[in-house]
Amino acid sequence: MPISRRAFMKAGGLALLSLGADPIFLDRAAYALGRSGRRIAGRKTLVCLFQRGAVDGLSMIVPAGDSWYWQERQRIALPKEQLIPLDGMFALHPRLAPLKPLWDQHNMAIVHAVGSPSTTRSHFDAQDYMESGTPDVKATPDGWANRYCAHAEEHANTPFRAVAFGPQLPRTLAGSAPSLAIDDLRTFGLRAAQAGGEQKLTRAFEELYQGAATGLVASSSAESFEAIQMLKSANPTSLPPSNGAVYSRTKLATSLSQIAQLIKADLGLQIAFVDVGGWDTHVNQGSDQGQLASRLDELSGALGAFTTDLGARMRDVVLITMSEFGRTVKENGTSGTDHGHGTAMMVLGGEVKGGQVYGRWPGLAPDQRYEGRDLAVTTDFRSVFSEVIQGHLGPIDVSQVFPGFAQPAKVGLFG
Amino acid sequence: MRIRIEFLVVGLAAGIAIPTAAQAPMTTRDSARHVLNRLAYGATTDEVDQVIHEGVLKWVDRQLGFADVHDPALTTGEARFDVLHESNDDMQALLQKTQARNAQVQSIGDSVERQQAMDQLRAEQRGDRRSLAVLDNQLAALVVVRAVASDHQLDEILCDFWTNHFNVFINKGQDRAYFADYLEHTIRARALGRFEDLLLATARSPAMLFYLDQSESVADASATRMAPGGRRIAINGRPGFGRGRPLFPDPRPGVYPPPSGTGAAATATRQQVAPRAPRGLNENYARELMELHTLGVDGGYTQQDVINVARILTGWGIDRRDASFTFRAAAHDEDAKTVMGQPFDAGHGEDEGVRLLKMLATSPATMHHVSAQLCARFVNDVPPDGCIDDAVQAWKKSGGEIRDVVRAIIRSPDFWASANVQSKVKTPLEFVASAVRAVGGVPDSTPRLAQRVAQLGEPLFQHQTPDGYGERQEDWVNSGALLARMNFAVQLASGRVAGVAVDLDRVVSATDDHAALVTAVDHAILGGAMTAQTRQTILKELADVPDPRAARALAVGLAIGGPEFQRQ
């Protein structure tokens, strides 16, 4: 029977506290106790994809039915004949064509005019708020996804429960619950100059840490060696892409292919995080060709390969895209767009009620805009995150994940 | 209390084992190792013995600057860094040049051509010793070189502490040009000086004024300001005047004077930065000033105090022409304000900001908050009350002299308590610097070693939020980061870390007597702190390594990558 973290705290925590052990260590040790180390078949996974730099939601998901779009974007508006219509109002950027089948199969939803209540147009403040999940509160020490892990299903931890692909743990996953930062699954672990030296080093360090490590260093190193062990036995990097999926060689595609491998290997992955930059298109943004088109090409190619690879397994997966804010409605003097407010998010998954654009469209007329210049925000990003958590990962009191966010609005992504 | 400290001092000076606050015996060797771990970036070869020879407290006082610290190694090391010879003006010009060149490339219509031009530009910038990218990278490299090579170790530790306390994110726009000056002349010059001077210097630094948007904060339209001659006028978006200068002469940020280059590129840069005139009060700096820099979040101030502090500081800005501090009287709110019960009468200008900062610098809440942070750095992640009290007493007595406050912390029984020895996990910078020092490594002037610090989780000067890097173990310990430390250790011991020259012969002799080897490694790398389990494990791993040099590299790598070396 799994032991819950709270039960552990009650039973053994006080005794340890009296020995001077720190609470974080207790938390982590409790996680270790509750961890199965076994594989978890069919676990629900949430993949968070952060488009850093503020994507132009109006080019990504084009409000073709709003005449102001055409009026304000003489140079960067997409050619009408190339747009991929979604409904009477919205259309996909042509470079998002690989996603159209998902839309048609109702496995892809869009939330438009989504964003943060914070008025900041600073990339770093806005990213910080979106990752902490607490707009305009800088003091929040941890990220929203870590708070989810700290408050839900703590009995079902595995070393791979929360994984960020990159050299550092992003703010989204920072906090007291264990999470891994993996730059590349193929090189995670110890490296040796001589072939075959890895095993010797791994054994030596594992023994060193078992013998002399204390506190958080002990629990974290145990997590590392457990992860190395699990990787060795499950060998997820040997799993080839399924269903004829072809990943390109970009960092994003590689990370998504490794996320798919972790999912297919049933290593208990519940929250995966990956980010991709290049969206800060102030100058020569382009329309069907150019900077933004190239980025969207890379994005949709990677997402297309990922969903194809997972196939039926997408039933257990939801992927959401997010970006710190959107860009100005009107193109600027250098055929680009400046920092704005609302943008669009994509939600992909087998259980998503797809084929719909969610959120109230505020309109692009000057008096409908935020501060007269930007797409207004009609859906708080935390409403989307809350719904994805509740509708996909399972019931939880989301006020523990988004403190101070009293009432998430119903978006409708899961019916 | 006094008797106990005197006893401690005498005991240490005499080199005898003495009881600490927790009544556990601490040898002189333990004490020397402890001060080198906490007040320095670890021990270099034989440094524990040198400190014992000098006397632990004599060494401490020398580090505190009560006696001279000669630093020939550092002087030689620093000579290689061009960034130390650049002025604020130079950096500003470089930033403009960089922005103009970027805009030029971005304006190329064809995407393939543009990508080629961009690749070429990046290569040029990497190859140009005077490009902004290279110079900013040098600052991070310099931190590592100083941490490794400086004899004035405590000063380096405090520079790191204050850089985090008054955090500025180097990659925020103009701060790319302002940061070098901030680090060298604002922080480093005052790391062991008076807190009030340091606070005022950061408040006036272009780096901080830009980072926390203070330079954008202007009095609300309803406020009044002083016209020349003392007449009070409502501020209402009129063209600026006063001191013969327009209120905001330059479009923000970073395009004064307009960039050179093609017309298109110049326009591009201007458009890119979206000029807009500051419109009102910005509370960003005011809030962080009280929450982070001085009083602490529970320091007893209200939202109205934040607003009033912001009002008092309106007008504190940057003169973009020479990247210096300027006070713009025309942007200043001259109405009366109250901050935490203290009245600030109407009709004042820059002087009331100075008065406010002095008030904050000397507030009891500030003394407590900053002392607690210093104790978290030097004593324990969760600092005991005793050392905080000792620090606050010294603060009051000395009027906020940082060296006196730090000295009081070091002399506090809590500093020496066995519960606090080896209780802190090294930050990535502390880990890398102490590892390099332990193997007698010599870093070069490339940013490669600083990049390793970044890979371990601490890209220097790149903490985006104003709180700076954390001081607690949970800020640094995660499974990926620990594996990265182990890999670094193994690579360093076998001389495979780029950017540092290692000669193990100077540290431990190669021998096929494994027991002697492990003893020597314990002495040289861990200062004698190796546990019996670690010793057994290393001996076991050496058993199938016949080559003495390979055995030595393995033993050193395991010692540095092992659990004892992660702590300080």
Side-chain angles (χ1 to χ4, degrees):
Chain A
M1 193 191 84
I3 304 162
S4 84
R5 188 163 63 99
R6 286 177 199 90
F8 170 84
M9 293 292 283
K10 218 171 166 183
L14 286 175
L16 276 174
L17 263 180
S18 66
L19 293 173
D22 54 282
I24 288 283
F25 162 63
L26 286 182
D27 271 10
R28 298 290 278 262
Y31 281 121
L33 259 189
R35 191 157 52 216
S36 65
R38 281 171 285 120
R39 301 199 193 176
I40 301 177
R43 189 171 210 182
K44 302 288 185 192
T45 304
L46 172 61
V47 183
C48 301
L49 192 158
F50 206 119
Q51 295 174 283
R52 293 196 193 273
V55 67
D56 180 20
L58 300 177
S59 284
M60 191 167 72
I61 311 295
V62 179
D66 194 315
S67 62
W68 282 97
Y69 168 78
W70 303 102
Q71 196 162 327
E72 297 287 45
R73 296 185 161 211
Q74 305 280 338
R75 284 175 293 176
I76 64 164
L78 287 152
K80 264 187 182 143
E81 65 283 5
Q82 287 203 33
L83 284 173
I84 303 169
L86 296 176
D87 55 20
M89 175 71 184
F90 296 100
L92 284 181
H93 189 287
R95 298 298 186 94
L96 293 183
L99 302 180
K100 183 60 173 14
L102 293 171
W103 174 270
D104 293 336
Q105 293 150 22
H106 293 224
N107 288 329
M108 171 184 175
I110 286 157
V111 187
H112 221 317
V114 66
S116 171
S118 172
T119 60
T120 183
R121 288 192 181 91
S122 146
H123 289 300
F124 80 99
D125 283 349
Q127 288 181 21
D128 190 51
Y129 296 150
M130 190 163 272
E131 299 205 66
S132 72
T134 56
D136 286 323
V137 179
K138 290 197 175 181
T140 311
D142 44 16
W144 65 268
N146 193 285
R147 285 197 298 276
Y148 170 78
C149 293
H151 285 108
E153 292 191 43
E154 58 264 67
H155 57 276
N157 275 309
T158 81
F160 291 95
R161 182 180 179 189
V163 181
F165 278 79
Q168 274 128 27
L169 215 51
R171 181 129 164 69
T172 302
L173 277 174
S176 63
S179 18
L180 285 180
I182 295 181
D183 198 29
D184 190 325
L185 210 48
R186 292 166 297 194
T187 56
F188 182 81
L190 290 164
R191 292 186 293 278
Q194 306 82 19
E198 288 86 1
Q199 278 193 27
K200 180 180 168 67
L201 276 180
T202 306
R203 186 189 61 219
F205 275 121
E206 186 168 10
E207 203 169 309
L208 282 179
Y209 277 80
Q210 276 173 356
T214 52
L216 189 62
V217 172
S219 53
S220 294
S221 59
E223 284 160 29
S224 315
F225 294 113
E226 207 177 351
I228 291 173
Q229 197 55 47
M230 273 185 99
L231 278 184
K232 204 178 146 215
S233 64
N235 199 9
T237 53
S238 70
L239 297 172
S242 311
N243 311 315
V246 179
Y247 289 96
S248 63
R249 285 175 152 192
T250 63
K251 176 78 183 153
L252 175 66
T254 304
S255 297
L256 284 174
S257 75
Q258 296 185 349
I259 290 171
Q261 287 171 329
L262 289 180
I263 291 171
K264 287 194 278 187
D266 287 324
L267 291 173
L269 181 68
Q270 191 178 35
I271 296 186
F273 181 96
V274 62
D275 53 13
V276 59
W279 307 101
D280 198 16
T281 48
H282 287 283
V283 182
N284 282 324
Q285 173 171 320
S287 75
D288 60 320
Q289 302 283 328
Q291 265 186 80
L292 183 63
S294 310
R295 295 273 76 77
L296 290 173
D297 209 37
E298 179 192 344
L299 178 70
S300 66
L303 290 178
F306 178 72
T307 51
T308 304
D309 183 6
L310 285 174
R313 193 65 199 265
M314 277 303 289
R315 189 182 56 240
D316 300 324
V317 178
V318 166
L319 181 148
I320 56 175
T321 66
M322 60 198 73
S323 196
E324 65 266 33
F325 43 69
R327 312 192 69 82
T328 46
V329 173
K330 188 175 170 59
E331 65 192 7
N332 65 23
T334 55
S335 302
T337 46
D338 295 315
H339 297 183
H341 198 45
T343 188
M345 287 181 177
M346 299 187 277
V347 185
L348 280 53
E351 286 181 343
V352 175
K353 221 172 93 191
Q356 266 197 64
V357 178
Y358 293 89
R360 185 177 69 78
W361 182 250
L364 294 180
D367 63 345
Q368 295 171 322
R369 295 177 203 162
Y370 174 73
E371 294 186 347
R373 55 177 252 162
D374 308 328
L375 175 63
V377 169
T378 59
T379 302
D380 189 311
F381 73 89
R382 291 169 296 179
S383 292
V384 180
F385 291 4
S386 298
E387 198 161 301
V388 168
I389 289 172
Q390 298 266 32
H392 181 60
L393 296 183
I396 180 181
D397 174 7
V398 289
S399 70
Q400 292 176 315
V401 181
F402 299 106
F405 186 50
Q407 290 185 318
K410 183 165 168 69
V411 185
L413 291 164
F414 294 89
Chain B
M1 179 63 80
R2 171 148 301 276
I3 292 165
R4 198 149 146 216
I5 292 173
E6 292 308 320
F7 173 63
L8 181 83
V9 171
V10 171
L12 288 171
I16 49 171
I18 50 160
T20 64
Q23 304 303 313
M26 196 175 190
T27 64
T28 308
R29 178 162 294 276
D30 292 338
S31 309
R33 197 174 57 225
H34 185 50
V35 296
L36 284 164
N37 270 333
R38 290 295 170 82
L39 312 178
Y41 285 98
T44 59
T45 315
D46 298 330
E47 202 173 12
V48 172
D49 294 321
Q50 289 162 24
V51 170
I52 292 170
H53 181 74
E54 179 176 355
V56 174
L57 289 178
K58 268 191 184 165
W59 179 87
V60 168
D61 274 353
R62 192 163 56 85
Q63 288 292 326
L64 279 165
F66 289 111
D68 286 348
V69 178
H70 299 291
D71 218 340
L74 183 63
T75 313
T76 320
E78 284 182 342
R80 293 170 294 173
F81 288 89
D82 299 331
V83 69
L84 292 177
H85 311 296
E86 303 286 347
S87 70
N88 244 359
D89 275 3
D90 296 337
M91 295 295 280
Q92 175 83 355
L94 276 173
L95 179 64
Q96 280 155 15
K97 194 176 113 189
T98 308
Q99 287 174 337
R101 287 280 282 127
N102 280 342
Q104 209 176 354
V105 169
Q106 288 289 343
S107 67
I108 297 173
D110 181 85
S111 62
V112 178
E113 273 179 39
R114 186 171 60 245
Q115 191 57 48
Q116 283 169 349
M118 183 62 82
D119 293 345
Q120 198 189 340
L121 178 62
R122 294 273 174 270
E124 269 174 38
Q125 285 171 344
R126 274 194 302 272
D128 178 1
R129 284 181 62 184
R130 273 206 77 219
S131 77
L132 203 59
V134 168
L135 291 172
D136 280 347
N137 277 338
Q138 279 192 2
L139 286 176
L142 193 51
V143 167
V144 181
V145 165
R146 283 166 165 162
V148 170
S150 173
D151 282 337
H152 208 168
Q153 286 278 300
L154 181 53
D155 191 30
E156 297 300 332
I157 297 275
L158 281 164
C159 287
D160 181 57
F161 176 85
W162 294 120
T163 306
N164 274 310
H165 185 82
F166 294 106
N167 185 58
V168 166
F169 174 53
I170 192 173
N171 287 338
K172 181 176 176 180
Q174 289 289 115
D175 278 317
R176 293 189 67 193
Y178 298 154
F179 197 87
D181 180 64
Y182 181 66
L183 188 67
E184 291 303 310
H185 302 122
T186 305
I187 300 286
R188 290 188 66 83
R190 297 174 181 82
L192 273 165
R194 218 158 57 109
F195 180 77
E196 184 181 303
D197 298 337
L198 180 58
L199 181 70
L200 271 157
T202 59
R204 286 198 173 108
S205 68
M208 186 64 79
L209 288 162
F210 185 83
Y211 173 60
L212 290 178
D213 308 321
Q214 180 57 42
S215 55
E216 285 200 48
S217 183
V218 305
D220 276 331
S222 57
T224 55
R225 61 165 170 71
M226 203 75 83
R231 200 162 39 87
R232 300 176 79 203
I233 312 168
I235 293 176
N236 209 354
R238 302 179 304 104
F241 69 104
R243 298 195 177 181
R245 209 186 280 162
L247 184 50
F248 291 96
D250 47 318
R252 62 167 287 277
V255 285
Y256 183 90
S260 54
T262 67
T267 312
T269 306
R270 262 196 299 282
Q271 285 296 332
Q272 185 176 354
V273 296
R276 77 191 140 92
R279 283 181 297 206
L281 207 58
N282 188 312
E283 301 168 11
N284 200 0
Y285 176 66
R287 182 181 309 282
E288 308 306 357
L289 170 67
M290 293 200 281
E291 177 182 329
L292 299 171
H293 299 171
T294 60
L295 305 171
V297 71
D298 301 319
Y301 58 89
T302 64
Q303 171 59 28
Q304 193 54 49
D305 289 324
V306 173
I307 292 171
N308 288 345
V309 166
R311 289 172 61 207
I312 286 171
L313 292 171
T314 46
W316 287 51
I318 305 163
D319 186 338
R320 292 270 162 83
R321 292 171 304 183
D322 59 357
S324 67
F325 171 75
T326 185
F327 178 75
R328 292 192 170 92
H332 185 67
D333 178 340
E334 297 224 335
D335 286 350
K337 307 114 185 156
T338 305
V339 174
M340 300 178 81
Q342 294 296 313
F344 285 76
D345 294 338
H348 286 268
E350 184 185 353
D351 60 307
E352 65 175 358
V354 174
R355 195 190 131 206
L356 167 83
L357 287 161
K358 289 187 173 178
M359 178 183 117
L360 289 173
T362 52
S363 148
T366 300
M367 294 183 199
H368 190 273
H369 175 230
V370 177
S371 292
Q373 288 185 312
L374 283 164
C375 290
R377 174 66 175 231
F378 289 114
V379 180
N380 194 304
D381 287 5
V382 184
D385 290 339
C387 57
I388 300 174
D389 291 345
D390 291 349
V392 169
Q393 285 308 317
W395 190 308
K396 282 182 185 158
K397 203 174 153 200
S398 68
E401 289 290 345
I402 294 161
R403 76 182 70 225
D404 290 297
V405 175
V406 172
R407 193 178 206 233
I409 293 169
I410 298 167
R411 300 221 162 201
S412 159
D414 284 328
F415 180 83
W416 303 96
S418 61
N420 297 326
V421 175
Q422 294 282 315
S423 65
K424 284 178 65 69
V425 171
K426 291 174 182 173
T427 65
L429 175 63
E430 288 166 347
F431 170 72
V432 168
S434 62
V436 171
R437 281 167 68 78
V439 298
V442 180
D444 63 20
S445 58
T446 68
R448 290 178 293 186
L449 211 45
Q451 280 159 5
R452 297 304 293 262
V453 176
Q455 280 167 16
L456 296 181
E458 191 182 6
L460 296 166
F461 322 131
Q462 291 183 51
H463 192 85
Q464 295 199 3
T465 48
D467 51 344
Y469 284 116
E471 195 51 66
R472 300 163 310 162
Q473 58 173 342
E474 54 267 36
D475 295 319
W476 304 114
V477 178
N478 69 64
S479 38
L482 278 177
L483 290 174
R485 288 185 185 210
M486 296 172 209
N487 279 322
F488 177 84
V490 171
Q491 287 172 16
L492 182 72
S494 51
R496 288 185 288 120
V497 170
V500 57
V502 174
D503 181 7
L504 282 189
D505 284 335
R506 291 169 51 205
V507 183
V508 181
S509 303
T511 166
D512 51 14
D513 178 349
H514 289 168
L517 173 66
V518 176
T519 300
V521 167
D522 179 23
H523 184 81
I525 308 291
L526 297 178
M530 189 182 282
T531 62
Q533 294 108 308
T534 295
R535 187 182 168 84
Q536 286 313 313
T537 303
I538 295 178
L539 276 173
K540 200 169 81 186
E541 292 301 328
L542 293 180
D544 59 351
V545 184
D547 174 40
R549 297 182 70 81
R552 177 178 64 180
L554 180 61
V556 170
L558 290 175
I560 291 177
E564 290 96 333
F565 199 81
Q566 308 314 313
R567 294 191 170 275
Q568 54 163 339

